[in-house]
Amino acid sequence: MIGGFRAIVAAATLALGALITTPAAAGVLQCAPFARQVSGIELYGNANTWWGQADGRYERGHEPRVGAVLAFSASRSMPVGHVAMVSKVVSEREVLLTHANWSYRGGVERNVRAIDVSPNNDWTDVRVWYGPIGDLGLRPNPAKGFIYAHKASDAPVQIAMADRATAGSDAARGAF
């Protein structure tokens, strides 16, 4: 009976230890909250839902722009997808990304290289810098495209305001 009691106490202690350490594991920095913070794009949930959530709320496309979020598709190796902010456009097929939880669990990487390897040059297959090997990852990662930081409903207003500002400066110079 005493041996059985010790086994129960040991099991309870182990279970209690797991409960105590679980919140610490939950505190690991994830890609979605980090991308939301650095980009200002107000989407929530797993990364693989961002592309669909952005429809009608934010402009989406296949052209890299600084501040845009590259939305990776869910895959076998990334069951909940991934999101990363474009920190610099190097060329139409290369960008630098700032993101969390890619090379290292909970780690943040800034200005790491990513290249478009898709056959149609549309950023649907991307190779990304992977810290443990010190180079681009060995396989391409499927992606949906870019979510742009301004809201879809704001785009015409921003363009109209930019046109007015240009027209005002052109008028001041007498150029039309």
Side-chain angles (χ1 to χ4, degrees):
M1 186 69 168
I2 293 177
F5 178 73
R6 286 185 186 150
I8 291 171
V9 169
T13 302
L14 183 61
L16 183 58
L19 289 174
I20 292 169
T21 58
T22 300
V28 171
L29 186 60
Q30 297 295 318
C31 66
F34 182 77
R36 183 174 44 255
Q37 179 184 8
V38 297
S39 72
I41 293 175
E42 291 293 320
L43 297 174
Y44 295 84
N46 289 337
N48 64 337
T49 69
W50 278 40
W51 185 257
Q53 286 185 62
D55 189 23
R57 294 177 61 192
Y58 292 92
E59 282 190 49
R60 303 179 306 174
H62 297 279
E63 172 191 330
R65 297 180 195 162
V66 172
V69 168
L70 179 56
F72 290 84
S73 303
S75 67
R76 183 175 168 185
S77 60
M78 296 185 301
V80 294
H82 185 71
V83 285
M85 187 197 70
V86 176
S87 47
K88 181 178 182 177
V89 176
V90 177
S91 72
E92 64 185 29
R93 297 204 68 189
E94 182 178 347
V95 298
L96 299 183
L97 297 175
T98 293
H99 59 163
N101 207 30
W102 182 264
S103 293
Y104 307 99
R105 187 169 185 252
V108 172
E109 293 174 294
R110 298 184 189 281
N111 301 316
V112 295
R113 187 172 181 228
I115 59 169
D116 173 25
V117 293
S118 61
N120 296 324
N121 303 335
D122 61 2
W123 290 89
T124 55
D125 277 315
V126 182
R127 288 183 57 208
V128 180
W129 175 266
Y130 187 61
I133 64 171
D135 201 356
L136 291 172
L138 301 177
R139 63 173 164 65
N141 299 279
K144 299 283 189 179
F146 297 95
I147 302 169
Y148 305 113
H150 57 275
K151 295 187 178 191
S153 60
D154 292 345
V157 173
Q158 289 176 346
I159 292 167
M161 290 174 68
D163 288 345
R164 271 190 243 126
T166 303
S169 62
D170 288 344
R173 288 190 311 238
F176 276 101

